[in-house]
Amino acid sequence: MSFLIAQSIINGVILGTLYLMMAIGFTLAFGVMRIVNFAHGEFYMIGAFLTLIGVKWLGLPFPAALVVTVVMAILLGGLVERFVFRPFRADELSGMIASLGLAMILQHMALIIFGPDPQSFPSLVSGVYRLGDLIVPKSRALTLGAGVVILLAFYGFLMHTRMGRALRALVQDQEVASIYGVRLEIMYPLGLGLGVALAAVAGGLMAPLFGVSPFIGGTPLLKAFIVVILGGLGSIPGAALAAILLGLIESLTSSFVSASAADIVTFALVVVVLLVRPSGLMGRAEA
Amino acid sequence: MNSILNVEGLSKRFGGLAALSDVSFEVERGHISGIIGPNGAGKTTCFNLITGTLSATSGKVVFDGREITGLPPHQVVERGLARTFQAATTFPKATVRENILRGALLRHPLGLGSSLFGGAAAREAEAAGHASVEEVMRAVGLTEHADQIAGTLAYGHQKRLGVAIGLATRPSLLLLDEPAAGLNPEEVDRFGAILQDLKRDFNLTILIVEHHMRLIMKLCDHIVVLDHGEKIADGQPEDVRNDQKVIEAYLGAEHVE
Amino acid sequence: MSAAVSKKTVPTVGASTFVYLVIAALIASVPWFTGNVFYFHVGIMVCLAAMATSGLAVIAWVGQLSLAHAAFVGLGAYTSVLLVTRLGLPFVVGLPAGALVAGAVAYLIGKPLLRLRGVYFVLITFALNELFRLVMLEFPGVSGGSSGIAGVPKIELFGLVLAEQSQVYVFTLACLVAVTALLYLIRNGQLGRRFAAVEENPALAESSGTPTARTQNLAFVIGSSIAGFTGAIMAHYIGFISPETFGFQLSVSYVIILVTGGRLALWGPLVGAIFLTPLPEFLRGALEYQHIIYGVILIAVLRFLPQGLAGLSGQLTRLKGDRS
């Protein structure tokens, strides 16, 4: 029994890392641009395909393919900000509706290009790590490690670079930030670009585990959405806490009850949190 | 004294912060009374508590002999206590006439049935509403703008429209939140004159929050001064003007700014 | 002049409205011109989409965008189907029951829900739609689970089974006319005034005597009842329902129709449905292109026609109406 719990906790942490990578970009887009981006999950899907192309068709090593994916995703995110979201800066609701349209466009373009069937990803590593009774497949351990490294790198970027500070300033207070010379024309596309790049790299990392198809963006979007609501829209520390929490809840509930029960519990939690504390568990209060 | 509004020990805390503490005053029927004070003194909070937009932490509001503490705003206005807002004073997408009519609805309500399917009651209510609108429009001098969309009106006219909407609810007490802010001196004078006409023609009592000292001193029969959420003075304009605490509060505020 | 204005009390059917009615009647009669069963089917789908979106529009009139609309359509569908198949009640009971249950649920959850505004309301309705789907999947005994309920009996009105597409079309058309008439009455009466007041400036509306919470809740209940009503018809026409039928995608498609047609325009749902619903039916071979077209249209309309297709002419009508 205790072994099952420990196993569940490990799986929960892996899930939580994935969810966090998805949620940070989602919450950053809201914090910086007040955009609720329903197309966020499609960037996860695009990231998975870009990595697949890099590895399978171009023969790049996996890390190189991930780097290419990140660069392409930042560019794509910047373009999307410029041509889809920019006109709706003053209007949260219209921006959100526009993102629904964007999601449809991206998903079905992928459908046209790659077809509906799931594609397998060449496995990178095989075998398992054993810790007593615990079993961790090497592929999962690799994903977890890479995810943590990427999250730490992003954290370093946010905390210790000029651009990172500017982004955080924007999340805190738009007006004050622009008074202090934060240039919105650069920071907006960058904010969205980085956010979707995190989603894309998550897609690339998960591709070897879960396969690739045009429809894989939906679930990660839902998870990001849940994490961000629980953590508070726009709050990165809140997202971190909520992501790990959600990963653990899901993993434990699906081990001991059922996967669908886990979904219902988390969505009910989302509804309750929105009703009782719309600013999230750790978010700032909204006016 | 024949008071229409009694505010008794009104307090409001946001978290640990006291926005208003233990404020009491009375407004005499038929007077124009003013609330003044430096920025952040709690004037608008006081308005919000009186009209039910915010719920008070403690204290009591008695209007026309009946306690209205804790009533939602739409019930407060139904009893005859209307208010205007500092910003966002109008329904921006509707015409001036429609704006005022939405206020006038209060006195000509319809049930769901007659609201949907018309009939004699609906026709009567509409006609009465429209008649009321014409009267209010004339009183505030907006008749020539009747069909203009509110959002496209000049700033001064939007402020006046805000007053007109409140007036259309047929209040006995009208609370005005900085109605002269942003108006030029000439407009301020005209506004003052309009208010005095309104008071006479509509049998109103007026309570006004305003920064514009000249207007307040000229219009008001009685002034309440707030500072840091507390009442520091209460009296006739000349008394308040010479009150040492009031002078300090304003001088102090100026030094900080 | 003021006397003439104050006489304009009860809404009259203006010339422009008459033109719209003629155009609508012409469009509605298209299937008979072709006589083709397929066109009747498309016509039915347009009517159903326009009706459901009309419900969404009523909610939008008080300034709220719901992403749970499909769930209410689903509530109506399941209510009617279960009453008809399990209890053997006739469709004429199932149909109003569907509307009633959807409205009742809206009434129960409306009060806490509608305290949230803007994107927060959208987010919670999104979560609720997911929750509805998940909960329904969890109770296959009621919902048929992921395989759904097939073989739903056809629409039957007092013994007359609507077996032909053309018959169903007449029925849905009549229902659409009734729903549109209801919207027209709401829009032009005191209720519509209160809705608009709440949409434009809730604080001012409340302070000038409109109970905003109750008004929003009323709009939510009316809109959701219309959704439930539509759902019941939809279920018995298509003959198959499952929790997946009423998922996020369906909610989004109603939002797209509403936004394209015009969020605040009376004719928005109808115009949007006529414009967008036939698309998938004619593009059956290339479904993915259809979704891309939807997405592009949605973004383009938001960007260049924020009041939607019907908003343009609606604005003109309003200008004329105010001058008369």
Side-chain angles (χ1 to χ4, degrees), chain B residues 47-120:
Chain B
F47 261 30
N48 287 339
L49 294 177
I50 293 173
T51 55
T53 307
L54 288 174
S55 55
T57 311
S58 62
K60 207 161 104 166
V61 181
V62 178
F63 172 66
D64 226 356
R66 284 198 290 178
E67 183 168 351
I68 57 166
T69 328
L71 288 184
H74 70 267
Q75 287 181 16
V76 171
V77 66
E78 210 179 313
R79 307 236 166 142
L81 197 168
R83 71 167 295 181
T84 68
F85 289 85
Q86 232 176 84
T89 53
T90 67
F91 300 109
K93 292 186 230 169
T95 62
V96 168
R97 175 178 283 124
E98 173 70 25
N99 262 269
I100 303 174
L101 190 57
R102 287 177 189 173
L105 282 188
L106 176 65
R107 299 296 167 212
H108 309 284
L110 288 175
L112 190 57
S114 29
S115 168
L116 286 183
F117 301 111

Side-chain angles (χ1 to χ4, degrees), chain A:
Chain A
M1 191 67 175
S2 66
F3 130 79
L4 192 52
I5 292 177
Q7 183 75 51
S8 301
I9 288 176
I10 290 177
N11 290 340
V13 169
I14 295 175
L15 277 178
T17 310
L18 163 67
Y19 295 165
L20 183 54
M21 293 178 78
M22 287 302 295
I24 283 185
F26 191 81
T27 208
L28 200 63
F30 188 79
V32 175
M33 285 154 293
R34 313 293 298 176
I35 288 172
V36 176
N37 185 6
F38 274 98
H40 196 66
E42 305 315 324
F43 288 94
Y44 172 94
M45 177 271 294
I46 289 172
F49 270 115
L50 285 175
T51 312
L52 180 73
I53 291 172
V55 171
K56 214 170 169 180
W57 296 2
L58 304 180
L60 294 174
F62 187 68
L66 277 187
V67 170
V68 172
T69 300
V70 168
V71 173
M72 301 276 284
I74 291 178
L75 288 177
L76 186 60
L79 284 176
V80 161
E81 196 282 330
R82 174 67 191 81
F83 291 104
V84 178
F85 290 122
R86 188 168 294 186
F88 307 116
R89 269 192 197 165
D91 185 353
E92 281 175 24
L93 200 58
S94 292
M96 176 161 69
I97 300 171
S99 80
L100 290 170
L102 180 66
M104 295 176 85
I105 295 173
L106 293 178
Q107 186 184 98
H108 289 89
M109 273 166 82
L111 199 56
I112 291 172
I113 299 172
F114 301 106
D117 299 324
Q119 314 210 8
S120 67
F121 200 97
S123 60
L124 304 169
V125 286
S126 55
V128 295
Y129 293 115
R130 282 181 190 279
L131 282 154
D133 282 342
L134 296 180
I135 296 172
V136 182
K138 281 186 180 170
S139 56
R140 296 213 168 203
L142 180 80
T143 303
L144 176 63
V148 169
V149 168
I150 289 163
L151 283 173
L152 285 177
F154 187 74
Y155 181 76
F157 165 81
L158 271 187
M159 301 310 282
H160 300 298
T161 67
R162 228 184 104 77
M163 275 187 168
R165 276 196 291 269
L167 274 177
R168 279 190 297 134
L170 275 180
V171 173
Q172 289 294 322
D173 191 317
Q174 208 93 339
E175 271 175 52
V176 173
S178 55
I179 289 169
Y180 283 99
V182 173
R183 291 181 54 194
L184 302 183
E185 297 317 304
I186 297 175
M187 297 320 291
Y188 273 57
L190 185 76
L192 192 73
L194 283 173
V196 302
L198 273 175
V201 80
L205 277 177
M206 294 297 153
L209 300 183
F210 302 137
V212 185
S213 94
F215 305 114
I216 57 174
T219 309
L221 172 70
L222 279 182
K223 303 304 178 189
F225 169 84
I226 295 168
V227 165
V228 166
I229 298 292
L230 294 183
L233 269 171
S235 160
I236 292 176
L241 182 76
I244 301 302
L245 213 63
L246 179 65
L248 290 175
I249 290 174
E250 281 194 351
S251 176
L252 289 168
T253 332
S254 56
S255 299
F256 295 102
V257 192
S258 78
S260 57
D263 282 346
I264 291 180
V265 166
T266 51
F267 265 101
L269 200 60
V270 163
V271 171
V272 169
V273 166
L274 271 174
L275 286 178
V276 177
R277 200 178 149 77
S279 55
L281 298 174
M282 287 179 72
R284 296 170 291 159
E286 288 286 325

Side-chain angles (χ1 to χ4, degrees), chain C residues 219-230:
Chain C
F220 191 51
V221 169
I222 295 175
S224 302
S225 303
I226 295 175
F229 183 80
T230 312

Side-chain angles (χ1 to χ4, degrees), chain C residues 119-136:
Chain C
V119 294
Y120 289 89
F121 182 78
V122 184
L123 291 176
I124 197 166
T125 48
F126 169 66
L128 280 173
N129 206 136
E130 259 326 275
L131 202 58
F132 171 77
R133 193 180 63 89
L134 292 169
V135 169
M136 291 308 267

